[in-house]
Amino acid sequence: MLARLGLPFDVASPQVDETPHPGEKPADLAMRLALAKAREVARRHPQAVVIGSDQVADLNGEPLGKPGTHERAVAQLQRMRGETVIFQTALAVVCQDIGFEQADLAAVRVVFRQLDDEEIEHYLRAEQPYDCAGSAKSEGLGIALLERIDNDDPTALVGLPLIRTCRMIRAAGVHVL
């Protein structure tokens, strides 16, 4: 996603525990993790403008994380069929050397179709989205699971809201255009 901006960048994996805190709301969890990821990498690269992000699927206030297994993915999609799920996509930009830190949240409202078990099984075997919040990848075959997507940033559901990213890195001194 970031390559679309034509800017040079490196990828660094943050060492952050992604376990939700007891009672933590999905939006709060996504924001906490995006900030923790950006801060952790910024400590190792203090001159860099660091982007951290995280996405949590919110089903009626309950966070749905990455399923990890086929069985958990089946259970998630069965629970989401015919439901509206809010994908909370948090973004944080940190540059330690200049004392810059901003964070924002893009809430993407997604309405799932009334899926039957055969459709769920076919999708999961084809896409294997076991590392994806809510078991659905809209950038691929997962788009067929959906009835509607409502948001203000078309890239937010894929995991990096580029409109917000551009605004925040410009504020940190990066010239996007």
Side-chain angles (χ1 to χ4, degrees):
M1 294 290 298
L2 199 54
R4 290 173 59 177
L5 301 180
L7 299 171
F9 66 92
D10 291 317
V11 176
S13 295
Q15 303 303 313
V16 172
D17 180 3
E18 296 190 27
T19 305
H21 294 158
E24 190 171 28
K25 294 179 181 174
D28 296 338
L29 172 60
M31 187 65 80
R32 177 177 61 80
L33 293 177
L35 277 164
K37 291 173 180 181
R39 288 171 178 160
E40 197 278 329
V41 173
R43 276 193 288 280
R44 290 186 277 141
H45 305 279
Q47 295 178 332
V49 174
V50 177
I51 299 168
S53 68
D54 197 79
Q55 185 176 74
V56 177
D58 178 344
L59 178 61
N60 301 317
E62 179 188 340
L64 299 179
K66 300 170 184 170
T69 68
H70 182 82
E71 294 73 26
R72 282 191 226 139
V74 168
Q76 280 186 349
L77 289 173
Q78 287 174 337
R79 288 185 62 208
M80 293 187 301
R81 60 180 153 203
E83 296 286 338
T84 297
V85 178
I86 308 299
F87 284 81
Q88 306 284 1
T89 305
L91 171 70
V93 175
V94 175
C95 182
Q96 201 168 43
D97 272 6
I98 63 171
F100 182 87
E101 181 173 294
Q102 280 188 6
D104 199 1
L105 186 70
V108 181
R109 187 174 176 267
V110 176
V111 180
F112 279 78
R113 290 181 32 256
Q114 195 59 256
L115 305 165
D116 63 39
D117 289 344
E118 187 177 314
E119 289 176 306
I120 289 171
E121 189 64 30
H122 177 80
Y123 167 70
L124 292 175
R125 294 291 177 199
E127 199 89 314
Q128 300 182 6
Y130 308 130
D131 64 343
C132 183
S135 306
K137 289 186 175 182
S138 67
E139 64 272 28
L141 182 59
I143 199 73
L145 304 172
L146 311 179
E147 190 72 36
R148 189 172 65 248
I149 299 171
D150 297 321
N151 68 4
D152 64 354
D153 188 332
T155 58
L157 186 55
V158 181
L160 185 63
L162 285 178
I163 293 172
R164 285 170 173 81
T165 300
C166 288
R167 183 183 70 236
M168 292 167 71
I169 64 175
R170 279 193 306 267
V174 175
H175 299 285
V176 179
L177 295 176

